[in-house]
Amino acid sequence: MYRGRLKRDLALWVEKRLIGQDVADALLRDFDSRRSSFSIGGVLMILAAVLIAASILLLIAANWQEIPRLVKIGGIVALIWIFYGLAAICFARGADRLGGALLVLGAACFGGAISLIGQLYHLSGDAFDAMLLWFAMTVLSAAAFRSAALTVMAGLLSFSAFGAFLDLFEGEWHGLYGWWPVLSSLVIGLLSAWTGAERARHFIYLLLLGWCGWLYSLWPEVGTAVAFAAVGLAAFVAVTLPMSPVSRILGGLGAGPAFYSLVLALLGLGLLHLEWTDGAGLALLGIVTIAVTLLALALDGRDNGAVRYLAYAVFAGEVLYLSFVTIDSMLGTSAFFLLAGLVVAVLAMVVVRLERLFATRISEDRA
């Protein structure tokens, strides 16, 4: 998607004679030569590795009775070493995508080995313990090979471990295990920075959002929803406000921090809609929700498409929802929209002044 937009921009700049065609071609070649650029061949290799890994895991699950135990264990251990060894050779020869696919196969075989040994020798333990061991080994392998593919696999395993935890303890909080999503998010964050797997950072945000949803299921109270909205809004402002030190530190992380912070804030506001369904509470909540969407558009709507479309969708949804719940009173609906319109007008004036202030300060900093 970004390549297509870049190609269109380069063509436009060439047409306006801002750059030459040779410069545009060189810029596009440089983008295509980067390791993170999209490759159909690389995607197909990873998909092939996933299918082969699924086949191996299903064969292990079959637990063939006619094959001796030591042969089974020796075979799966040999597969692990073979795949990791071949991956090392591929990396040494510059075949990074093939090496990543082989690492995925090796990590999958390690998970199969855990299951096979537990199955054959009836070892005590549960699925959560097995997932933790599998996750830890995958993280170590990803760090050792600096593999983006294994970083993504570790992200998937963190979700699987969280699901196994919820199943084991029936969705209840259980000591330090309840902090697993936070800990695994930290590990994946450090790992993605080490391996350069930028897309794996989405697992961090999704894990934390899932953790927040689980916390609300444990404490379904107004205070919990308010905390989500407040923390999400504070994080969004800290990430997007130009003069914020947090914005300068996290500026290289892309659109993710701002978008998912806004999602958390809107999640809290959405949960509050379940508590406040009429009266002054609903009116105030509606105004706050609309104000948050306008603030999001003002601070990051121009540069962050994900934030922009989310704000548009929530703004439209909120207006339609308020119209629906107040349809029996046209006068009440009219009064609400009048009040909301006045608030939006005031916010627009404030936003215009803030934009001018930010533009002046940015110009002064550059000077």
Side-chain angles (χ1 to χ4, degrees):
M1 184 170 63
Y2 175 71
R3 186 187 187 279
R5 187 166 64 250
L6 176 63
K7 187 176 181 180
R8 290 192 298 270
D9 289 340
L10 290 173
L12 179 62
W13 295 336
V14 170
E15 183 181 350
K16 292 183 176 181
R17 298 183 179 179
L18 297 176
I19 60 174
Q21 185 63 51
D22 54 341
V23 175
D25 294 339
L27 290 173
L28 196 59
R29 284 196 301 270
D30 177 71
F31 176 81
D32 291 335
S33 66
R34 296 176 188 175
R35 184 178 178 182
S36 60
S37 60
F38 178 79
S39 168
I40 292 294
V43 172
L44 292 177
M45 285 183 186
I46 294 297
L47 291 177
V50 171
L51 292 173
I52 296 172
S55 173
I56 293 172
L57 293 176
L58 287 174
L59 287 174
I60 293 171
N63 192 19
W64 326 297
Q65 300 298 326
E66 60 274 13
I67 300 179
R69 292 182 177 182
L70 291 179
V71 175
K72 293 178 183 179
I73 296 174
I76 195 68
V77 171
L79 282 177
I80 295 173
W81 282 101
I82 289 171
F83 287 135
Y84 275 94
L86 291 175
I89 294 173
C90 289
F91 284 123
R93 295 184 175 182
D96 294 347
R97 292 187 175 91
L98 179 57
L102 290 169
L103 286 179
V104 169
L105 284 172
C109 289
F110 183 83
I114 297 173
S115 174
L116 179 63
I117 293 173
Q119 186 183 84
L120 292 177
Y121 295 98
H122 306 288
L123 299 179
S124 60
D126 47 59
F128 181 55
D129 293 332
M131 293 305 303
L132 287 181
L133 180 59
W134 194 0
F135 173 81
M137 187 60 189
T138 303
V139 167
L140 291 175
S141 300
F145 285 93
R146 301 192 76 165
S147 169
L150 281 187
T151 303
V152 172
M153 185 173 180
L156 294 172
L157 290 176
S158 66
F159 272 98
S160 299
F162 187 35
F165 162 77
L166 294 177
D167 180 67
L168 177 62
F169 299 108
E170 298 180 350
E172 298 295 329
W173 186 277
H174 189 81
L176 294 177
Y177 287 135
W179 296 97
W180 164 252
V182 178
L183 176 62
S184 58
S185 296
L186 178 61
V187 172
I188 294 172
L190 295 174
L191 187 61
S192 63
W194 173 249
T195 62
E198 297 179 359
R199 294 179 179 86
R201 296 193 189 110
H202 291 285
F203 290 111
I204 302 172
Y205 310 125
L206 294 174
L207 266 173
L208 293 177
L209 286 174
W211 184 62
C212 289
W214 174 56
L215 291 180
Y216 185 78
S217 71
L218 296 177
W219 297 286
E221 302 170 358
V222 172
T224 307
V226 170
F228 290 168
V231 171
L233 185 58
F236 178 80
V237 172
V239 168
T240 57
L241 204 62
M243 61 188 66
S244 169
V246 178
S247 176
R248 296 174 183 175
I249 295 173
L250 301 181
L253 297 183
F259 174 74
Y260 288 105
S261 297
L262 181 60
V263 169
L264 178 59
L266 294 175
L267 173 63
L269 293 173
L271 293 173
L272 287 175
H273 277 75
L274 302 178
E275 302 290 338
W276 299 336
T277 57
D278 54 20
L282 177 60
L284 176 62
L285 183 59
I287 292 173
V288 170
T289 303
I290 291 175
V292 168
T293 60
L294 294 175
L295 180 65
L297 289 172
L299 291 179
D300 207 33
R302 183 186 63 180
D303 301 325
N304 193 329
V307 167
R308 181 168 63 251
Y309 291 122
L310 177 61
Y312 287 157
V314 173
F315 183 94
E318 184 68 18
V319 171
L320 291 174
Y321 171 74
L322 293 171
S323 301
F324 176 77
V325 297
T326 59
I327 197 69
D328 57 337
S329 173
M330 298 300 292
L331 184 60
T333 305
S334 175
F336 169 80
F337 285 133
L338 175 60
L339 180 59
L342 293 174
V343 172
V344 170
V346 173
L347 286 174
M349 291 187 290
V350 173
V351 167
V352 169
R353 291 183 178 274
L354 286 175
E355 286 179 342
R356 290 176 181 173
L357 177 63
F358 293 154
T360 302
R361 294 198 174 184
I362 291 173
S363 299
E364 291 177 353
D365 291 342
R366 289 177 179 175

